[in-house]
Amino acid sequence: MLTNNWSQRDANALTRKAGRNSADRELALRVYTSRLIGNEPDLVMHGGGNTSFKAKRKDIYGKQTDVLHIKGSGWNLDSIEAPGLPAVRLKPLHKLRALRALGDQDMVNALRCNLLDAGAPTPSVETLLHAYLPHKYVDHTHAGAFMVLANLPDVKKVIQDIFGSKMALVPYIAPGFELAKAAADIFDDDPSVEGMVLANHGHFTFGDSARESYTKVIEQTNKVLRWLAKRSNIKPSFKATRPTRSVAAATRVLPLLRGALGDALAQHSQNPDAAMPIFDLRCGPGVKRFLARKDLREMARRGVPTPDHVIRTKGSPLLLSEAELDKGRPAIDKAVAAYVAKYQDYFARNAKHSKEAKTMLAPTPSVAWISNVGVVGIGQDAAKAKIAADLAEQRLAVAACAEDSGGFRPISQADQFEMEYWSLEQAKLGKAKPARLAGKVALLTGAAGAIGAATAQAFARQGCELVLIDQNRAALANLNDMLGGNHLTVVSDITKAGSAQQAVAAGVARYGGLDILISNAGAAWTDPIIEINDAKLRRSYELNFFAHHRFAQTVAKLLIDQGRGGQILINVSKQAVNPGKNFGAYGLPKSSAMFLVKQLALELGGHGIRVNGLNPDRIRSGILTGSFIQERAQARGVTPSQYMGSNLLGKEVEARHVADAFLALACSERTTAHVMTVDGGNIEASLR
């Protein structure tokens, strides 16, 4: 059962902080209950759900005007703030109700024209429905329980059983003007109802206060949950079930699927260098139960429980059986090709009936149901993949619960197409330019050090997903927090046997595969070469050569499995070509690492895998800090700043400059077997 999280103490504090203006105080409460709703995953889903309240605001002339504050585009309920609830003049919205028809683009234009603040976000597409209901506060949610209810074949009878005459049923109509009018007419016929079920869609509640409307959301959802509990053992939950450790089957299968989808996307876009998608794997108990159903293929054909899903997940998933997985990449390629052909046919059949010309989306799946692996969300980046996976999990729970409670009967394929190719969504195509490394996954060793942290920041800014490896747990956590907390961290001593395989497996379980290895970790041991003992030299070789070798080996095999090329980058150091006194234990393995770059490039070029290195020098990291810099400067009779800038440019080379060089090589699509120098100019260390 859901908990009512309203706190009068919190509400009082928020209204006091809002000041004496009544509309501002009501807005504070609207934000508060919107967040209460948004932070309950069983009530809302990505991009779905909206809240509103009606108030009076002064316009530019100082005249009191009736307005509707409603969730705007780009804001999520769980983190919404006052600017995310723009004010729209109500009177012009009510005048629209007299129209016989209103296209989506015209409706959005009318909403924007009536914003009090022209710079505010575009109001929700369901603004008119909120406006036409007379209540001060209105909440629209997509609770899993109500989606089960909304997709039952006998939904009208079930609503009567649960709510009597207090809940209205609105037949399925795509969001927009027509739905708003129909719902308002149904409410006008019986103003005593306390909520509305939108068939195959969601749930509306309303009240004269924020608390009343929110309380109805909780109470009405719990009534449905209690009804379902008597008929099904499955709770329609929206809780994420990401794996807590790598899954052996996933490590084997996901790179193959990722490569197959990359090939299909390259063919569709006619871009041979098109990025592969990012994956998000879910394999909790509920997922495993669903994938074991005997009616799995039939359930895959049924469609989505609410039209909001289809924009993120498409109507049907890619199914991969155990038999197909056993046959490897050729069978996966065949399954992907069959999915693409079926989707192209789906588009052609439905597009010819559309009143407007449609541009086909990428015909590849957004969700995969994989036997003995789990459910995979598929997207252009990790955020989109996560959304697809979240919705896929919700779909499984809703579909299973509905089927066991009377039958799962979602919207028709024609209605699904109308929503998937909604004019408002089609208008967005081509407008958003992806970041340079969107769709790429990089594994970075030594991530918590100075160079590693700067490199992580540089790649993250370009949209790259990261697997951050370091043995310093606290520093690694701090780095991830600084990057937004959305990347994968792996605490590991990379000199230990199996560390490369474990790190790569973790990356595959999280993202589906890898594209770039940045083998950056290293450390300097100092001693005269004739005095250094074997143990110290071997430790240096383990970190400064063998770790590079093992990670390169492991990642290269993965990149070959994916079949879409990739990049291996190794931090070599100027010591490889310009040895420093007492730095033999560092320079010897680094010279081997530089040869490794060339050998790997020679052997992996045929697979489209580029291998490059960096030779940075005199960077504030490792032993080159504080007292060490002071000692070196004094020995040369210069200041520390002069010592750090003793190069042809006369400027200190910083960690961010090394990061920029890593980034430049990662984006150089036709460069391999190259070692780039980043030292401000050191003739003795120059390679050519």
Side-chain angles (χ1 to χ4, degrees):
M1 294 295 111
L2 301 181
T3 301
N4 188 324
N5 291 312
W6 174 277
S7 165
Q8 192 59 49
R9 181 178 178 180
D10 290 345
N12 291 341
L14 289 168
T15 53
R16 283 196 301 271
K17 186 177 179 180
R20 305 182 72 174
N21 181 280
S22 61
D24 289 343
R25 292 164 69 89
E26 290 164 344
L27 177 57
L29 293 178
R30 178 71 288 180
V31 169
Y32 174 54
T33 54
S34 297
R35 288 191 171 200
L36 292 180
I37 291 169
N39 279 286
E40 174 47 70
D42 279 335
L43 287 178
V44 297
M45 58 186 187
H46 296 279
N50 38 71
T51 57
S52 72
F53 83 101
K54 301 174 181 73
K56 289 186 178 292
R57 292 285 189 186
K58 287 184 179 180
D59 62 16
I60 197 170
Y61 304 107
K63 181 181 178 181
Q64 289 284 357
T65 304
D66 289 325
V67 299
L68 174 75
H69 280 274
I70 186 162
K71 187 178 89 72
S73 176
W75 287 86
N76 293 325
L77 289 180
D78 61 353
S79 57
I80 199 165
E81 298 176 3
L85 289 155
V88 193
R89 295 177 182 85
L90 259 176
K91 188 174 181 181
L93 303 187
H94 282 289
K95 288 180 68 175
L96 293 174
R97 189 174 176 182
L99 297 176
R100 295 182 62 185
L102 183 65
D104 290 333
Q105 295 289 357
D106 289 335
M107 179 186 69
V108 171
N109 185 53
L111 297 180
R112 288 211 57 83
C113 286
N114 285 289
L115 284 165
L116 281 193
D117 178 2
T122 299
S124 165
V125 71
E126 283 158 338
T127 295
L128 295 182
L129 203 165
H130 285 254
Y132 297 161
L133 293 173
H135 307 84
K136 191 173 189 65
Y137 286 83
V138 178
D139 291 317
H140 172 40
T141 60
H142 296 90
F146 267 99
M147 278 198 286
V148 171
L149 186 65
N151 285 280
L152 293 175
D154 55 348
V155 56
K156 187 174 183 178
K157 179 181 181 301
V158 174
I159 288 175
Q160 181 68 31
D161 290 345
I162 298 173
F163 298 103
S165 61
K166 294 300 182 180
M167 183 70 66
L169 174 64
V170 181
Y172 177 77
I173 301 171
F177 177 68
E178 188 179 347
L179 173 61
K181 288 188 66 173
D185 289 345
I186 287 171
F187 177 82
D188 289 347
D189 287 342
D190 185 3
S192 69
V193 297
E194 297 176 353
M196 305 179 84
V197 173
L198 276 55
N200 306 115
H201 185 168
H203 174 220
F204 268 81
T205 61
F206 23 77
D208 293 329
S209 70
R211 183 174 188 174
E212 180 186 357
S213 187
Y214 165 70
T215 297
K216 286 181 179 178
V217 172
I218 302 300
E219 290 178 348
Q220 292 175 10
T221 303
N222 282 339
K223 281 188 176 182
V224 179
L225 285 171
R226 282 191 287 270
W227 185 88
L228 291 173
K230 298 175 183 177
R231 289 158 178 80
S232 173
N233 293 323
I234 301 168
K235 179 179 180 290
S237 179
F238 192 37
K239 302 290 195 299
T241 58
R242 271 180 170 161
T244 56
R245 53 189 173 84
S246 62
V247 181
T251 305
R252 176 175 59 89
V253 170
L254 297 189
L256 302 179
L257 175 58
R258 189 167 181 252
L261 293 178
D263 285 347
L265 288 167
Q267 183 176 357
H268 169 71
S269 64
Q270 297 184 328
N271 174 13
D273 297 317
M276 288 179 283
I278 303 297
F279 290 175
D280 194 312
L281 172 65
R282 306 298 169 85
C283 51
V287 170
K288 291 178 179 178
R289 282 195 302 270
F290 189 91
L291 294 181
R293 290 180 69 105
K294 294 181 179 180
D295 60 352
L296 188 67
R297 291 194 174 274
E298 170 59 26
M299 295 297 274
R301 286 193 289 267
R302 292 275 182 90
V304 293
T306 175
D308 297 71
H309 273 206
V310 74
I311 296 171
R312 306 281 196 171
T313 67
K314 289 191 167 71
S316 60
L318 169 70
L319 266 66
L320 289 175
S321 67
E322 193 169 356
E324 287 170 313
L325 299 182
D326 288 341
K327 295 176 183 177
R329 178 66 184 266
I332 293 174
D333 284 335
K334 185 178 179 180
V336 170
Y339 184 98
V340 168
K342 188 174 181 180
Y343 186 88
Q344 290 170 332
D345 176 68
Y346 155 78
F347 175 81
R349 282 186 290 104
N350 287 280
K352 66 183 181 183
H353 299 298
S354 177
K355 297 177 182 178
E356 305 168 336
K358 301 295 183 183
T359 300
M360 188 176 72
L361 305 171
T364 50
S366 297
V367 172
W369 295 358
I370 308 176
S371 177
N372 289 330
V373 174
V375 166
V376 175
I378 304 167
Q380 293 176 315
D381 54 40
K384 291 182 175 64
K386 179 183 182 302
I387 291 171
D390 283 346
L391 299 184
E393 280 200 275
Q394 189 188 47
R395 171 182 177 171
L396 265 57
V398 169
C401 189
E403 188 71 3
D404 295 347
S405 301
F408 178 53
R409 300 294 183 270
I411 58 176
S412 69
Q413 195 176 87
D415 286 329
Q416 174 187 296
F417 180 85
E418 181 182 354
M419 191 66 188
E420 186 177 359
Y421 284 86
W422 195 9
S423 60
L424 298 182
E425 291 296 322
Q426 286 271 294
K428 298 177 184 177
L429 296 180
K431 288 187 176 181
K433 185 178 179 180
R436 194 171 188 181
L437 293 180
K440 301 289 187 184
V441 183
L443 187 152
L444 171 62
T445 67
I451 292 174
T455 301
Q457 293 174 67
F459 277 69
R461 282 194 296 268
Q462 295 299 323
C464 192
E465 315 299 342
L466 297 169
V467 182
L468 304 169
I469 316 293
D470 205 284
Q471 60 184 347
N472 188 328
R473 184 183 300 273
L476 201 57
N478 289 337
L479 172 62
N480 196 28
D481 287 344
M482 183 175 63
L483 296 173
N486 297 317
H487 300 282
L488 176 64
T489 60
V490 178
V491 180
S492 175
D493 177 353
I494 64 172
T495 66
K496 299 297 184 183
S499 58
Q501 290 83 355
Q502 291 167 4
V504 169
V508 171
R510 175 64 178 271
Y511 298 116
L514 298 171
D515 302 282
I516 303 165
L517 166 64
I518 309 170
S519 192
N520 165 69
W525 280 265
T526 60
D527 258 338
I529 196 65
I530 63 172
E531 296 179 7
I532 193 167
N533 60 53
D534 284 358
K536 182 179 284 189
L537 186 58
R538 288 179 187 278
R539 284 201 303 274
S540 183
Y541 259 94
E542 282 297 331
L543 179 60
N544 293 309
F545 173 72
F546 284 110
H548 292 303
H549 180 232
R550 284 191 290 266
F551 270 83
Q553 272 188 324
T554 308
V555 172
K557 290 174 182 177
L558 170 65
L559 296 178
I560 291 170
D561 284 344
Q562 288 180 162
R564 297 281 303 160
Q567 169 105 222
I568 294 173
L569 300 169
I570 297 177
N571 189 339
V572 176
S573 167
K574 76 95 183 180
Q575 290 290 334
V577 292
N578 181 210
K581 187 176 181 181
N582 296 335
F583 275 85
Y586 183 52
L588 284 168
K590 284 295 188 179
S591 63
S592 298
M594 188 167 76
F595 186 87
L596 179 65
V597 168
K598 295 179 179 293
Q599 192 69 36
L600 287 168
L602 176 68
E603 297 183 11
L604 297 176
H607 296 285
I609 300 170
R610 295 171 287 127
V611 187
N612 297 292
L614 283 188
N615 272 354
D617 183 32
R618 211 162 288 187
I619 313 298
R620 291 181 189 267
S621 63
I623 66 170
L624 193 59
T625 56
S627 60
F628 187 88
I629 294 174
Q630 184 72 33
E631 291 171 7
R632 304 287 282 192
Q634 286 178 351
R636 288 163 173 75
V638 297
T639 66
S641 60
Q642 288 173 330
Y643 169 73
M644 293 302 292
S646 57
N647 52 50
L648 297 181
L649 297 178
K651 296 180 179 180
E652 180 178 343
V653 181
E654 300 173 19
R656 62 187 177 92
H657 300 126
V658 183
D660 289 343
F662 271 135
L663 185 61
L665 287 172
C667 296
S668 298
E669 296 177 352
R670 298 296 182 267
T671 299
T672 194
H674 176 57
V675 178
M676 180 185 289
T677 299
V678 190
D679 62 7
N682 179 352
I683 291 298
E684 290 82 0
S686 58
L687 294 175
R688 292 182 181 175

